Amino acid sequence: IVGGEKQNLAEEIAPVMVYGDDIPEIYQEDEITFACGPTVEITAGGRYFVEYVTGGTNEPQFENVSTVLVSDDGVNYSQYQIIDGLYDNMLRTFDGQLYYDKERGRLYHFITQDRNNFYGTSTWVTYTDNPDAENLSDIVWSIPKYVAPFLMCNNPTLLSNGKYAIALEDPYGRSAGKTDCYVWIVDDLLFTNPVKYAIKTDLNSK
């Protein structure tokens, strides 16, 4: 894997999930000065989950975190959760993806983490089987699990054979105008039995 050796850096420390009143002031809505990269899912019960990147004044910065808002009517949102990469350890989280499995009623949250400027980029996943719990405090999430190196580019694609296609990018070469992209075929969204296909991309080519 191109750049694969770098991935151990971010993989060492799992992102931390922080809720409600425990969210630090610098990440609370009235303090936000920067936000980007939204992803949205709606559950069977009609609950909206919205994730975006905030923290700091731009990205990439160590202060970046994935922030999750929740709404039961699609109009009024509350700040529910942040996924903290622990910037005290020079880690940040960003560019997450939400995916709702309608058959299982399971909501997945894929999280990207790195150390600095796309160095040691890795993808983690957490999920809940009760996203429509009446009280937000009753929603139970799994412990974030490392599933792959690199940055997950978009939502998984469910294939006709029941497997998933997942696009991942090694963004470390962006500053040089080059990036390496991969499509992984996996049995499930915990990345069981991955088969990887590489796509080389030169951003400077026409």
Side-chain angles (χ1 to χ4, degrees), residues 29-42:
E29 289 179 277
D30 56 357
E31 296 292 328
I32 290 174
T33 59
F34 162 75
C36 73
T39 175
V40 181
E41 270 291 10
I42 307 173

Side-chain angles (χ1 to χ4, degrees), residues 107-185:
L107 178 65
Y108 293 86
H109 187 183
F110 296 91
I111 306 153
T112 303
Q113 180 174 256
D114 71 12
R115 278 199 181 269
N116 183 27
N117 197 18
F118 307 119
Y119 187 65
T121 307
S122 58
T123 294
W124 298 72
V125 66
T126 179
Y127 64 86
T128 178
D129 288 321
N130 65 332
D132 287 315
E134 183 175 354
N135 298 314
L136 294 179
S137 59
D138 292 333
I139 298 176
V140 178
W141 292 86
S142 66
I143 297 172
K145 175 188 175 183
Y146 170 83
V147 289
F150 312 134
L151 162 65
M152 187 169 167
C153 302
N154 47 29
N155 276 341
T157 298
L158 178 61
L159 305 177
S160 59
N161 62 3
K163 296 187 178 185
Y164 293 87
I166 297 176
L168 295 138
E169 175 200 357
D170 180 0
Y172 191 63
R174 285 183 183 179
S175 59
K178 295 183 179 181
T179 184
D180 295 301
C181 296
Y182 303 87
V183 174
W184 289 34
I185 306 299

